[in-house]
Amino acid sequence: MTLPDRPRRSVLYMPASNPRALEKARSLGCDAVILDLEDAVAPDAKEAARAAAVAAVREGGFGRRELAIRVNGFGTPWMADDFAAAVAARPNAIVVPKVDSEAQAVEAVRLAYGIPVWAMIESPKSLIAVERIAAVEGVTALIAGMADFAKDLRAKPGRDRLELMYALQRMLVAARAAGIVALDGIHADIPDLDALDIACKQGAAMGFDGKTLVHPNQIEAANRAYSPDPAAIAEAEGLIAAFEAGQAEGKGVTTYNGRMVEVLHVAEARRLLAFAEATRG
């Protein structure tokens, strides 16, 4: 798993139209909160939700949690005002749904006025353009929107998500090639925590940085799956110690547990330990 510059193991959507949800988000164990103005908000509540999101960002109180606003997308009557309000509020990121082309990614970055853009990949068009979308300067994350994608494909994904694997892997490769964050899509079946656990472990094994969530009871599974386990931490510590001892002794080649240790392995081990430390904060 490639480790991001900060923990984004659990990224929770919260409807900006729900005051109780906004208040609860300040005390949850997620790494990031997305104040949602799109799917979770009815058309007649959009303006009130926008104002509530701006107020929440300005009021603060979210601690170490990264805070983003998801605006309504291209072609909607709310997009321009959503962007203007988000820019005024200055969250950590603006999430843009249904980014279908490089041109739309460029426009989203322009409208964001320097705030990082997290682009959602939710359609066959967006997947075809994903490498170009990821390469747009100012886009700092890709988010898998596999519910809409599956609908467009007429696919019926099972627990193993085999039907969506090509899309997920292509999106992940595009993010890694561009050096940006990749977030796995939501698990919509809230009561099925066993399936959620499978999806979280699968996404972490693939290399995603974290998972987007729709309910607080999903946070624990995501944090667990995307955190370095004790064995990985011990392995990293041992590898670094062996390398440093070898360097002190003037050895040209260092091995640890029968494997040759290169500088790139040490760098990844140090990143893993730094990430593990960050998750404890």
Side-chain angles (χ1 to χ4, degrees), residues 5 11 32 43 54 58 70 80 104 109-110 178 199 218 229 233 239 248 256 271 277 280:
D5 59 342
V11 180
V54 168
R58 288 177 172 166
R70 177 162 72 167
Q104 287 187 343
V109 169
R110 185 188 71 82
Q218 298 178 329
D229 62 31
I233 292 172
L239 185 148
Y256 178 68
R271 288 187 67 206
E277 181 62 29
R280 297 188 188 106

Side-chain angles (χ1 to χ4, degrees), residues 79-92:
M79 180 182 172
D81 288 340
D82 285 352
F83 260 104
V87 168
R90 309 299 297 181
N92 298 113

Side-chain angles (χ1 to χ4, degrees), residues 14-19 22 35-54 69-72 77-78 81-82 85:
M14 295 296 266
S17 56
N18 186 332
L22 296 185
L35 306 179
D36 192 13
L37 305 180
E38 196 215 12
D39 284 347
V41 180
D44 61 357
K46 296 286 189 184
E47 292 187 11
R50 183 190 303 134
V54 168
I69 294 177
R70 177 162 72 167
V71 299
N72 287 278
W78 309 286
D81 288 340
D82 285 352

Side-chain angles (χ1 to χ4, degrees), residues 8 15 38 103 120 123 129 158 161 183 200 204 223 229 260 267 281:
R8 296 183 181 95
E38 196 215 12
M120 297 195 67
S123 72
R161 300 194 295 178
L183 297 173
C200 287
N223 284 348
D229 62 31
M260 186 171 70

Side-chain angles (χ1 to χ4, degrees), residues 224-281:
R224 183 171 59 247
Y226 284 94
S227 296
D229 62 31
I233 292 172
E235 174 80 4
E237 291 172 338
L239 185 148
I240 293 169
F243 179 80
E244 290 178 345
Q247 292 291 102
E249 296 171 10
K251 292 182 178 179
V253 177
T254 301
T255 61
Y256 178 68
N257 286 343
R259 295 184 293 111
M260 186 171 70
V261 178
E262 299 182 46
V263 174
L264 64 92
H265 300 136
V266 177
E268 284 302 305
R270 286 177 174 151
R271 288 187 67 206
L272 185 144
L273 293 181
F275 182 77
E277 181 62 29
T279 64
R280 297 188 188 106

Side-chain angles (χ1 to χ4, degrees), residues 196-217:
L196 170 68
D197 191 57
I198 291 170
C200 287
K201 289 177 179 176
Q202 181 193 58
M206 289 175 66
F208 280 95
D209 296 309
K211 189 166 183 65
T212 49
L213 312 171
V214 294
H215 194 278
N217 72 3

Side-chain angles (χ1 to χ4, degrees), residues 159 186-196 214-215 217-218:
R159 274 191 170 191
I186 66 165
H187 178 77
D189 190 348
I190 295 171
D192 194 344
L193 295 180
D194 289 337
L196 170 68
V214 294
H215 194 278
N217 72 3
Q218 298 178 329

